Amino acid sequence: MSGHPGFTINWSTKDARLLDWLDENPVEREIIFQKESIKGQKFSKRECTIKAAREIFSVDADIIIRRIAQKDPAHLRKKLADYFRHLKVKYQKFNKIIGPAASNSRYEDLEVGGETHRTIERLLTDSFPIWTRLHVYWRTLSHYNQYYSSSNSSQKARKPPPSSGVVPSKARTRWQTTTSKMRASKRLKHRGVSEEVSFTPRLPVYNVDQLFFVIRGNRCRGHPHPERRARR
C-alpha cells in the first residue's frame, strides 16, 4: 500500500493493468527499465513513466486517482517509480532463493516437475505471483537480475541456419563447380572419353615455323634478344 493525502493506492489490484501496459508498450517499457537514459533517444525515462502512470490510472475505479492522473500525472509517476523499486527488491529476493541457474533461465525452459520448478511454483503461490512476467523483462538486465552479467551475452550470437532456398556464396560456388564437372564428365562418357582425359588441360601444339613466330612475337612485346641488350 502507498499512502498520500486524499487517496491510497492498492497496487495488488493494479498489477495486471500495469503488466498489460508494459506488454503493449515495448518501446516505453525498454526505456523505463534502462539503467540510464540514452542520449538522443526519442523519449526520456521520465516521459515514459508519466505516460504509463497517466494511462494506467486514468481508468482506475477510484475517482480521486483518476482526477490526479488527469491533472498531475507527474505525481503518480513518482508513485509508480517507487513501486518499480519495490518490485525490484522482491524480484531479487526471489532470485536469491532459486539460485543463479534458474535466475538466468527462461521460466518455460525449466524442467516441469523438477526441484527448481516446484520451488518457483511454491513461491509464486505464496509470495510473488508476478515474478514470471517480470522475469521476461528483467532476466537479461544486470541491474535487476543480480545473477546476470555481461559475460552471459558476450558470446557471439550464432547466425541462424539459412533456409532451404538460400545457399551461402562459398557453398554455392563449390556446388556449381562440382555440378559443372559432373555434367562435363557425363557428356564425355557418352562420347566414350574417360574422365582422366576429360580434365587434362590441353596445351597448344606448334610446328617449327609457328614456334619461331611465337618466340619472335614475345621478343617484340618487350623481350629483346640478349645480343641486342648487350649492344645497348
Side-chain angles (χ1 to χ4, degrees):
M1 304 286 287
S2 295
H4 185 271
F7 76 97
T8 300
I9 296 178
N10 182 358
W11 288 105
S12 62
T13 63
K14 296 168 179 55
D15 282 341
R17 190 158 68 242
L18 169 61
L19 296 171
D20 288 343
W21 186 92
L22 292 171
D23 287 341
E24 295 164 4
N25 297 270
V27 175
E28 290 82 354
R29 179 188 74 219
E30 183 176 348
I31 294 174
I32 289 173
F33 294 147
Q34 286 174 350
K35 188 174 184 179
E36 297 177 355
S37 296
I38 299 176
K39 186 177 180 180
Q41 64 187 9
K42 189 174 182 180
F43 304 107
S44 66
K45 293 183 68 172
R46 177 184 172 84
E47 290 172 333
C48 291
T49 312
I50 289 177
K51 179 183 178 182
R54 182 172 54 248
E55 295 182 2
I56 291 168
F57 293 114
S58 62
V59 294
D60 198 87
D62 191 327
I63 188 172
I64 297 176
I65 295 179
R66 291 202 306 269
R67 288 175 180 173
I68 295 176
Q70 295 172 358
K71 295 181 179 180
D72 187 18
H75 177 76
L76 291 175
R77 178 201 70 83
K78 297 177 183 177
K79 297 296 182 182
L80 184 55
D82 289 342
Y83 187 56
F84 280 137
R85 284 190 284 270
H86 170 71
L87 292 177
K88 176 181 176 179
V89 172
K90 295 189 68 174
Y91 176 78
Q92 291 183 338
K93 287 182 178 179
F94 195 107
N95 288 354
K96 187 175 182 180
I97 295 174
I98 64 177
S103 298
N104 286 324
S105 300
R106 298 188 308 169
Y107 174 69
E108 57 269 27
D109 291 338
L110 297 173
E111 180 185 357
V112 177
E115 182 179 354
T116 302
H117 189 270
R118 291 198 305 270
T119 300
I120 291 175
E121 290 296 314
R122 177 176 55 80
L123 293 172
L124 290 173
T125 303
D126 295 345
S127 59
F128 199 31
I130 64 173
W131 177 88
T132 51
R133 296 187 68 176
L134 292 174
H135 195 54
V136 174
Y137 314 143
W138 293 349
R139 181 178 63 86
T140 58
L141 300 179
S142 59
H143 52 290
Y144 284 96
N145 183 0
Q146 70 271 39
Y147 295 116
Y148 187 84
S149 64
S150 57
S151 60
N152 293 11
S153 59
S154 62
Q155 298 178 354
K156 294 183 179 179
R158 296 181 179 178
K159 294 183 179 180
S163 63
S164 57
V166 179
V167 181
S169 58
K170 291 182 179 180
R172 183 169 60 250
T173 302
R174 291 194 298 270
W175 177 81
Q176 290 173 343
T177 303
T178 304
T179 304
S180 300
K181 288 183 178 181
M182 290 175 64
R183 289 176 179 172
S185 176
K186 288 181 179 180
R187 288 196 297 269
L188 291 172
K189 283 184 177 180
H190 181 71
R191 298 174 187 173
V193 182
S194 65
E195 293 186 33
E196 290 75 7
V197 176
S198 64
F199 295 107
T200 302
R202 294 184 178 181
L203 299 177
V205 179
Y206 302 106
N207 57 33
V208 176
D209 294 334
Q210 290 173 331
L211 186 60
F212 171 76
F213 285 109
V214 170
I215 296 173
R216 184 178 179 182
N218 288 336
R219 288 176 179 172
C220 293
R221 287 194 294 270
H223 304 282
H225 194 275
E227 295 181 0
R228 293 180 182 177
R229 284 202 301 266
R231 292 175 186 175
R232 293 178 184 176

